[in-house]
Structures are given as structure tokens and as C-alpha cells.
Amino acid sequence: MALHDSGPPVTRRTTVRIGAAVGATVVLALTTACTSTPTSAGTESQPSPAGLAAYYGQKLAFGSCEGYGSTPGEKKLYAKPFECARLTVPLDYQNPTEKTIQVAVLRLPAQGDPGQRIGSLVLNPGGPGGSGMTQATKFSTAFAKSPLLQRFDVVGFDPRGVGSSTPAISCFTDQERDRGEDQTTLLASSGKWSEDDTRRLAERCADGSGGKEILAAVGTRNAARDMDILRSALGDEKLTYAGQSYGTRLGAVYAEMFPKNVRALVLDGVVDPTLANPPRRLTQQAGFQQNFEKLAAACVAGKDCPLGTDPAKATEAFQKLVQPLIDKPVPAGNGRTLNFNQATGGVTAGLYYPEVWPVLIKGLAQLKQGDGTKIMEVGDLFGGRDASGVWTNFSEANLAVNCNDEVRRTPEEETRLRADIVRTSPYLATGEKVEGVSRDACEFWPGKPSLGIPYAQDVKGLPDTLIISITGDPSTPYAAGKVLADEIGGTVLTVEGARHTVAQEGINPCVNDAVTAYLTELKVPKEDQHCRL
């Protein structure tokens, strides 16, 4: 989801391969030349504080990626021809001469004639909490034969608090996550929380991440400021950026803050800049319920559907299958057990991509026999669990960014939203009472939310942007693309189909051609152009 805040972090982009089924590609020492001045000075919505010249004067020292990667799989992925570097940024932009943190950056240099090189193409995969470094490796594979790799350095960065950036947000051990003891919300979940529970959650995240000031500094506006320093350190006068899902929020906020520093923006799977929780979350949940019903219809059309023979009763059948897991988790392989939250989280993860639905149906049939292995595998793969058993910090970073971006809810507001989600997505119903036991996980998070919603309103001075919206996207509804386009001056490319994001995966020639023409020639599609998945 864009801005995921329940279940597994399902917008983590990774390749899902279970049995013979292949799912979609899912799912962010200061070396300076201190004489330079910030090329963005005066273009933020608020005046830049003094003391940023050294940061903007950095020259990234790209070299071996040894020592980068938060899991064994990432360490193996970050190898030649990729090269890595660390960007130093201030922990607190209001006090930039004090503490610093480092943002991890990965680059594939342009493969073509140096005279034809345009600059850097900076990527964000979504989340919040997704690794841009990993995304850059996947993008480079998907577009291996594209002019984009000939004319751009492909650059991915792990946003502050994420992955290989330091410090990274850490709240749970791998063992706790394997046991399903890493809950960061009660929305669309089973369980109950007291005030002590949410206070302890913030405390353990602070303990694992380096202190409360780290937790308070991880948010979209600071990530956008970091991205402008990255632009300068890469040697680019203006930013060329492609973001998907949550990455459209990051891109839109950057455009709002630094409009004069934008060359091109590709925003795919748009988060509506006018909607905060709860309306954004409920809109999203309606999309998940719709895709659950499509999954059920596909299941019933086959043989021996574990959801029965009547699509109208599939939600009820699913509830009967998963609600017993609240009290009695089932074996899920390698000594692990599958509980209600892991089961519904794994299924919700798979609802993003129709090509994963056959895997879900097989998993539900297996679950009906008392075995949760396959559903657990889906949740693991979408949630960032490495084959070695090491987890990325996707869900913890997701929590941190959301806590810093959006207004925190009272227990009464959280209870109301929790109940509304079940009414909107009844397949997630737990059957539990939620009054008096529901609390916002962010209620004791240090600092105050800093994003401001709506954001990116009536932005002036931008070049035309390319906004991609899929008609059947369950997570970021199609209409949100037009909303953002109206605010920042973008052209919407309509993609007919039923999945979440497409532009960075290289799977659709029509979309690939439109993205390539825009990024290389700044040529936007015609207003009535459509692509089909």
C-alpha cells in the first residue's frame, strides 16, 4: 500500500516466486568541498537554515558496495557493476551544524556514450520504508535494454532510517518478527492495546534506533530535503526522479519544496495529497475488499475452491477460516506458526497483484487443511524477510515515517477507524470487541507530525510531470492521479488494468515507451492516451 499502516509492509517491492508461480516485482565520513553554496537556497517553501553549504558541497565517493545491505540477500545483490557511497545529512535541519546521519546511495553509471548522458535518474520504490538501493538494482535489470540505462546513471537511495542508511529504525528482533510479535497497529488486525503498550512500543523503537531524536527525524519532509542534497552531490543541477506509491508523496513534497530544482518527475500509483487518515485508509480498504471479491470469483470458477462455491459467501468463508487463528495459530513450517494477523496480512499483500492470486488460492486450500506455510511465505516475501531469515526494517521504518507525517489519533478516533475498516473490508473482521482496547501506535512517538495534509497544493514553476494511474489499482485509486495533476501541473497516463504500479517494472511496452520518451525528451503523452496491462 502506499503509506501502509496495517498488516505486512506490502509495498515492499520484491520478486515473489512460490512453487511454479511468479508474482509481480513488488514494494528507501563527510567528504566535502566546502566552498560551494546550496543551489536550492531560497526555493523551499520556508527559508533554508544557515549551515547547509558543507552538505551541498559534498562530492560522493562512489566505490565498492561491500559493507552495504541489511540482509545477506541485499549484500549479494549490491555487487559490481553497482557502486555505493554514503551521503551525510543533518539529523535536524533546524540545527544543521550539530548531529549528522548518513544516507546510503547505490548507482549504476550510464552505460552509453558519455556525450549522450543526461544525468541521474533517482528512484523510490514506495512504502514508506522501501529500499531505493534494491529498487535501483531491479530497475537496472528490468530496463537493461532501454535507452534509460544508456543515458542516465540509475540511482537508488535508502531514505533516512531505512535499510543501509545509518542509523536505521529498529524495533524488533528477527525472532520476534518470525513469531508475529512485531505488531505496529491494531487497524485491520486482531489484538488489544493499553496506554502502556503504545508507550513501550515507542520506547523500544527509540532504544533500538539510537534515541528519541532519531525517531522524530524520520519523515517525508526531511527525506525530501535529503534528496535535494543528494541531487547536488550527484552533480545534477535539476532532479530527474521516478517514484511509485508512497514515492509519489515524496516526489510531490519535493516538488512543493524545491520546484525550481525539478527537471522531470514520473509519479506512478499516486497517493492523494488531499486525504489524510481516516478517509485515505478507508478508500484503500474499499479497494482491497473489491480485489478480495475478484479473487473469490476467480477461486469459485475453478475446482475445489477453499472459499466455497458462492462468491457472495466468500467473505464469510474466509472469516471462518482465519478467525480461529486468533486463539489457535497453525503450523507454518520451520517451527513457525501462522496467526490471524499474519494470515490476513499475507492475503492482503497478494491482493495487490492478480498474478499472485493463484498462489493465495493454493495457500488458502492448504490453510483449510491446517497448514499455514504458503500464506506465511507470501507474507514473508512481500514483507521483506530474506531467504536467510533476516528481515529488512521495512515495517519499522514504515511506522516511523507515518508517525512523523500524519496527525495522531485519540483512542476514540482509533476505535472508530478500526470499526470503519471492518465495515469497509469485512474479510478482515476479527469478531473482537474494539471499544476501549484500540490505540494509535504513534500516540507516544516523540516529536510532532510535520508533513501537513493537504500538501503540494497549487505548486507553481514546475515542468510538466508524468503521472501514471491504473484504473483498477486497489491501493492508490485512479482518481488520485488527476487530483495531483491538477495541483502540480501534470499529465495523466491512464493504464487500464488491476494492479498496483507498473512504470518501474518494465513489463508493459506502452508504459515503457511513454516513460522513456518523457525522461529522455521531456515529451508527455497526449491527454487521451491509454495503455493496457
Side-chain angles (χ1 to χ4, degrees):
M1 86 154 218
L3 309 159
H4 187 74
D5 54 8
S6 85
V10 297
T11 48
R12 168 72 168 171
R13 313 292 295 183
T14 184
T15 301
V16 180
R17 186 181 297 271
I18 305 172
V22 180
T25 303
V26 210
V27 215
L28 198 216
L30 180 60
T31 304
T32 63
C34 296
T35 58
S36 299
T37 58
T39 58
S40 65
T43 61
E44 280 194 56
S45 58
Q46 298 177 351
S48 298
L52 293 181
Y55 298 102
Y56 275 92
Q58 291 178 80
K59 304 300 181 185
L60 289 175
F62 281 101
S64 169
C65 291
E66 185 176 354
Y68 292 78
S70 62
T71 69
E74 287 182 349
K75 292 178 187 296
K76 184 177 181 181
L77 197 61
Y78 303 164
K80 291 183 178 180
F82 301 108
E83 50 190 32
C84 295
R86 295 194 182 276
L87 179 78
T88 299
V89 296
L91 174 65
D92 180 358
Y93 274 88
Q94 298 308 309
N95 297 287
T97 60
E98 297 183 3
K99 294 185 178 181
T100 63
I101 58 177
Q102 293 191 321
V103 172
V105 184
L106 177 145
R107 178 177 74 176
L108 177 68
Q111 304 295 291
D113 181 349
Q116 298 297 310
R117 179 184 175 275
I118 295 172
S120 304
L121 172 59
V122 178
L123 306 175
N124 182 275
S131 168
M133 296 179 67
T134 296
Q135 186 70 2
T137 67
K138 295 179 182 298
F139 183 93
S140 298
T141 298
F143 286 87
K145 298 181 180 180
S146 168
L148 295 177
L149 265 63
Q150 301 297 308
R151 304 195 65 187
F152 288 97
D153 297 344
V154 176
V155 175
F157 71 101
D158 286 358
R160 57 171 60 206
V162 174
S164 294
S165 291
T166 56
I169 302 299
S170 178
C171 306
F172 305 101
T173 66
D174 289 339
Q175 293 73 25
E176 287 170 328
R177 296 194 66 180
D178 276 353
R179 295 193 297 267
E181 297 171 2
D182 57 342
Q183 195 165 9
T184 57
T185 182
L186 291 179
L187 299 178
S189 302
S190 170
K192 57 184 179 180
W193 276 349
S194 67
E195 182 176 318
D196 287 342
D197 292 324
T198 52
R199 182 181 286 108
R200 280 195 296 268
L201 176 60
E203 289 173 349
R204 71 180 298 163
C205 290
D207 290 344
S209 308
K212 292 183 178 180
E213 61 184 355
I214 303 297
L215 299 190
V218 177
T220 298
R221 289 207 177 273
N222 278 343
R225 294 182 177 101
D226 295 344
M227 195 156 66
D228 197 54
I229 292 177
L230 173 62
R231 170 198 59 76
S232 178
L234 291 169
D236 293 335
E237 180 180 355
K238 293 183 180 292
L239 177 73
T240 300
Y241 171 84
Q244 61 188 20
S245 195
Y246 161 80
T248 69
R249 168 174 281 185
L250 179 58
V253 169
Y254 182 91
E256 172 199 311
M257 297 176 71
F258 303 99
K260 296 179 181 179
N261 293 353
V262 173
R263 174 185 175 271
L265 299 176
V266 177
L267 305 178
D268 176 23
V270 170
V271 177
D272 191 323
T274 68
L275 290 183
N277 267 331
R280 190 199 71 245
R281 180 57 187 265
L282 294 176
T283 299
Q284 183 184 54
Q285 292 299 151
F288 287 141
Q289 182 65 31
Q290 184 178 56
N291 269 18
F292 176 84
E293 292 168 2
K294 291 178 181 178
L295 166 71
C299 180
V300 168
K303 295 181 179 179
D304 302 321
C305 173
L307 298 176
T309 58
D310 183 355
K313 297 181 179 180
T315 292
E316 181 181 356
F318 182 77
Q319 291 171 343
K320 291 181 179 178
L321 194 57
V322 298
Q323 285 182 357
L325 302 178
I326 295 173
D327 297 317
K328 294 182 179 180
V330 298
N334 297 317
R336 299 172 68 193
T337 58
L338 182 80
N339 64 27
F340 175 91
N341 294 338
Q342 292 165 316
T344 54
V347 170
T348 299
L351 292 179
Y352 277 76
Y353 305 99
E355 54 266 51
V356 183
W357 295 358
V359 181
L360 292 181
I361 292 170
K362 291 178 181 178
L364 291 173
Q366 190 184 67
L367 182 59
K368 198 170 184 178
Q369 302 303 313
D371 184 352
T373 302
K374 193 169 290 294
I375 295 296
M376 182 74 86
E377 287 176 352
V378 175
D380 285 351
L381 288 167
F382 278 82
R385 187 179 190 267
D386 191 76
S388 66
V390 177
W391 289 83
T392 69
N393 79 327
F394 190 109
S395 65
E396 293 129 313
N398 183 283
L399 170 68
V401 175
N402 283 331
C403 286
N404 286 322
D405 275 5
E406 301 202 18
V407 174
R408 298 160 196 177
R409 298 177 291 275
T410 66
E412 293 75 20
E413 290 169 336
E414 186 78 356
T415 296
R416 187 159 53 249
L417 178 55
R418 191 177 178 187
D420 286 345
I421 284 173
V422 169
R423 282 190 286 271
T424 304
S425 295
Y427 79 96
L428 294 171
T430 66
E432 298 172 312
K433 177 183 176 182
V434 298
E435 292 79 8
V437 295
S438 297
R439 307 187 77 91
D440 186 345
C442 301
E443 67 177 343
F444 290 107
W445 206 261
K448 295 181 179 179
S450 59
L451 174 65
I453 298 178
Y455 56 86
Q457 298 296 284
D458 195 24
V459 177
K460 304 295 186 184
L462 282 178
D464 202 355
T465 60
L466 176 58
I467 293 173
I468 299 172
S469 283
I470 301 175
T471 56
D473 188 328
S475 178
T476 51
Y478 172 78
K482 183 64 165 60
V483 173
L484 183 60
D486 288 344
E487 297 297 344
I488 68 173
T491 296
V492 177
L493 174 63
T494 296
V495 181
E496 298 177 6
R499 62 178 289 114
H500 180 52
T501 72
V502 63
Q504 294 190 36
E505 295 173 22
I507 61 175
N508 185 273
C510 177
V511 175
N512 295 348
D513 289 346
V515 170
T516 300
Y518 172 70
L519 289 176
T520 58
E521 304 171 30
L522 300 180
K523 179 181 178 181
V524 296
K526 295 179 179 179
E527 291 285 353
D528 59 350
Q529 181 173 335
H530 284 215
C531 295
R532 290 180 173 82
L533 293 175

